[in-house]
Amino acid sequence: MNSIDRLKDYHSTRLQAMRSLFEIVEQSSEGTVIVDRDARIVWINERYARRFGLADPAEALGQPVERVIPGSLLREVAHSGQPILLDMLDTPKDPLVVMRLPVRDEDGRSIGAIGFALFDELKRLSPLVRHYLSLQEELASARSLLQARQARYSFAQYIGTSAAVLEVKRRARRGAASEAPVLLLGETGTGKELLAHAIHAASPRAHRPFVSLNMAAIPENLLEAEFFGTAPGAFTGASRKARPGKFQIAQGGTLFLDEIGDMPLHLQGKLLRVLQEKEFEPVGSNEILFSDVRLITATSCDLEEAVRQGKFRADLYYRLNVLPIHLPPLRERPEDLPALCEAILGQLGSDHTLSPAALALLARHDWPGNIRELRNLLERAILLGDDPYLDEAMLAAALGPLPPPAPAAVAAVTGENYRQAMQRFERELLENALASAGNALEAARRLGLSRSTLYRRLAALGISSR
């Protein structure tokens, strides 16, 4: 076969394939229409003509396509030469899934367009639509959960310019740039959770979840499930569905464990295994899950003393204590009080200002509840006073009687060390607060502590809350 014959055979095969393809699509579709370059109908099959109210397809010939098929985009395809492969077309009967293709001459110029109505019953597409909608719902849910678990604070919200605060921020920024565990140490109310949020927000994991868990707020028998999740029906009363734990929810992000010193010993060993092996098993499951979580922990207790007393594992302490950051109590940075008061008043939506004497009074206070206590005090002063200018008398009334200072002289006489003296002072402070307040809730409010923190300290000191 010479080259001319091969060329003829090529054209013949091509034309036959195109004719066969057209016949197959036309016969299986719900309707077919062809228009010229001016979008006038040159051919329409009977099914399509009847759908649009024409008894005879010949009635449509020569008419603009939009007059017969309202909403048609065949004119656009004929002019642009670009196909519209899948689209929805509303019709008086039912919506149609349609495909529109350009028709070209031998030189490749667009000379018209052809449209196929692929489906007239959308239920044929329902499995695909359901799958698509399901994926959309899952994506929306994931976005919602991620947004709810984003960091709420930045370093700008850890307020202060004292040397101690600047050192905290320097170390915290170093921690944000690394994957090393960070251990936040400080009294209650010093801003440990705020700083944990800020470290996450400044880290490469900022776009991933930030998940927090307070060891003191969860009953001991539920902590393991909170940590690692549960398999379906893992124990009596458990859900038939698997329940993810905090390590799964925080995957790829940051897990913040507050009051880590209150973690039970048996759980400390399991946490150590996760840190070392990067894997864990949900409760009641034999499945091993991989863990990619950055850990930040915080405590208000002395972990070194807890290790000496056998209440905290030494190996876990060394794992967590890679980058310790000591958050100074408010009484050690009185120079930050003016900026803190201004920021807190702004957060409360107040235009109140403090007199120099009022600030001097605040500087003399010991602040056992630290910044949390300061916020409570300012909010109480705003509610109790009518004057936008807060003076010393107004703050003194809101502050109430100041607790007596620690009797250092007595400690020296009795031979107490620093820790013993501080425990005695704390016991006296809490006992006096309970006696004057009448109940634990009011005592916690006056001290600027959360109720759970007060109960924990009372239990540690052996003081009855009644």
Side-chain angles (χ1 to χ4, degrees):
M1 183 182 295
N2 57 36
S3 59
I4 296 178
D5 291 336
R6 277 198 298 269
L7 185 60
K8 288 180 179 180
D9 186 60
Y10 163 76
H11 282 298
S12 174
T13 303
R14 180 170 177 267
L15 290 173
Q16 186 60 42
M18 292 174 62
R19 186 179 297 112
S20 298
L21 178 62
F22 174 79
E23 290 175 354
I24 291 170
V25 176
E26 191 276 328
Q27 290 172 8
S28 61
S29 71
E30 297 299 326
T32 306
V33 60
I34 302 175
V35 300
D36 61 15
R37 62 168 52 92
D38 296 320
R40 293 184 177 276
I41 295 176
V42 298
W43 185 82
I44 185 172
N45 65 5
E46 291 186 10
R47 291 192 302 279
Y48 221 25
R50 286 197 300 270
R51 176 176 285 273
F52 292 100
L54 301 179
D56 185 355
E59 297 177 34
L61 301 182
Q63 294 194 49
V65 66
E66 298 87 354
R67 187 176 297 172
V68 176
I69 307 175
S72 173
L73 297 181
L74 284 173
R75 182 182 299 275
E76 177 183 330
V77 174
H79 287 174
S80 68
Q82 298 299 316
I84 301 177
L85 297 180
L86 282 176
D87 194 16
M88 300 290 294
L89 176 67
D90 286 328
T91 73
K93 184 179 179 183
D94 289 306
L96 295 172
V97 178
V98 298
M99 177 174 64
R100 306 178 183 99
L101 303 171
V103 177
R104 304 180 186 279
D105 62 14
E106 292 183 354
D107 295 325
R109 292 179 299 225
S110 177
I111 59 172
I114 182 170
F116 297 101
L118 301 179
F119 305 106
D120 67 341
E121 295 182 12
L122 296 186
K123 64 182 181 182
R124 300 185 190 181
L125 294 179
S126 59
L128 179 61
V129 172
R130 280 198 304 270
H131 182 61
Y132 172 76
L133 292 176
S134 175
L135 290 177
Q136 288 291 91
E137 289 177 1
E138 289 179 13
L139 180 60
S141 176
R143 285 174 174 168
S144 176
L145 288 173
L146 182 58
Q147 185 175 9
R149 302 217 177 252
Q150 292 296 295
R152 298 192 299 271
Y153 308 109
S154 66
F155 287 125
Q157 291 162 287
Y158 187 70
I159 296 167
T161 56
S162 62
V165 167
L166 294 179
E167 174 61 16
V168 166
K169 289 187 177 181
R170 185 189 70 82
R171 283 199 169 206
R173 288 193 173 94
R174 288 278 184 90
S178 77
E179 289 287 307
V182 174
L183 176 60
L184 304 177
L185 304 165
E187 298 176 5
T188 180
T190 50
K192 297 187 290 295
E193 184 166 1
L194 184 153
L195 199 64
H197 278 264
I199 291 172
H200 173 75
S203 75
R205 295 175 179 259
H207 64 290
R208 303 297 295 168
F210 177 90
V211 179
S212 61
L213 182 64
N214 189 321
M215 297 291 99
I218 308 294
E220 183 174 333
N221 60 329
L222 297 180
L223 269 175
E224 187 172 354
E226 283 290 327
F227 257 86
F228 306 121
T230 60
F235 49 86
T236 303
S239 172
R240 293 183 179 180
K241 294 183 179 180
R243 182 176 181 273
K246 294 297 188 286
F247 268 98
Q248 290 163 275
I249 297 172
Q251 185 73 356
T254 298
L255 179 60
F256 172 56
L257 302 181
D258 200 4
E259 297 300 346
I260 188 69
D262 291 346
M263 176 179 281
L265 273 172
H266 77 277
L267 196 56
Q268 293 177 26
K270 296 188 176 183
L271 175 60
L272 181 64
R273 178 173 180 265
V274 177
L275 296 178
Q276 290 176 336
E277 307 299 332
K278 301 295 183 183
E279 61 185 30
F280 64 94
E281 297 178 15
V283 176
S285 171
N286 294 322
E287 181 183 10
I288 296 178
L289 302 180
F290 172 74
S291 172
D292 175 23
V293 171
R294 197 273 175 87
L295 195 64
I296 301 177
T297 54
T299 183
S300 56
C301 72
D302 187 339
L303 283 186
E304 290 185 358
E305 179 64 22
V307 169
R308 283 193 291 270
Q309 296 178 4
K311 296 179 180 178
F312 201 85
R313 292 180 60 128
D315 45 6
L316 178 59
Y317 172 67
Y318 299 137
R319 274 279 180 177
L320 301 179
N321 195 37
V322 177
L323 180 61
I325 302 177
H326 293 266
L327 281 70
L330 189 51
R331 62 182 173 274
E332 294 181 6
R333 53 184 187 113
E335 62 269 40
D336 292 329
L337 275 169
L340 283 167
C341 289
E342 183 179 356
I344 292 171
L345 290 171
Q347 292 168 5
L348 295 173
S350 169
D351 57 359
H352 286 71
T353 56
L354 278 74
S355 69
L359 286 171
L361 172 66
L362 297 182
R364 294 195 300 272
H365 185 44
D366 196 46
W367 300 112
N370 292 291
I371 299 171
R372 187 180 295 120
E373 181 187 2
L374 175 62
R375 180 186 177 91
N376 292 346
L377 168 67
L378 293 176
E379 188 170 11
R380 185 160 60 248
I382 293 170
L383 294 174
L384 294 176
D386 298 323
D387 194 330
Y389 192 66
L390 300 177
D391 59 19
E392 182 180 11
M394 296 172 66
L395 283 186
L399 193 58
L402 293 177
V410 176
V413 172
T414 58
E416 292 176 328
N417 60 29
Y418 175 80
R419 178 168 299 283
Q420 291 168 335
M422 288 299 295
Q423 287 179 344
R424 179 168 51 77
F425 167 70
E426 184 181 13
R427 179 178 286 103
E428 292 175 359
L429 174 65
L430 296 182
E431 288 176 342
N432 290 337
L434 283 171
S436 62
N439 60 73
L441 182 61
E442 176 62 18
R445 187 185 67 80
R446 292 184 183 183
L447 292 170
L449 303 175
S450 68
R451 184 166 55 177
S452 62
T453 299
L454 176 62
Y455 279 130
R456 188 172 63 252
R457 297 310 304 156
L458 291 174
L461 296 170
I463 302 173
S464 172
S465 60
R466 295 182 179 181

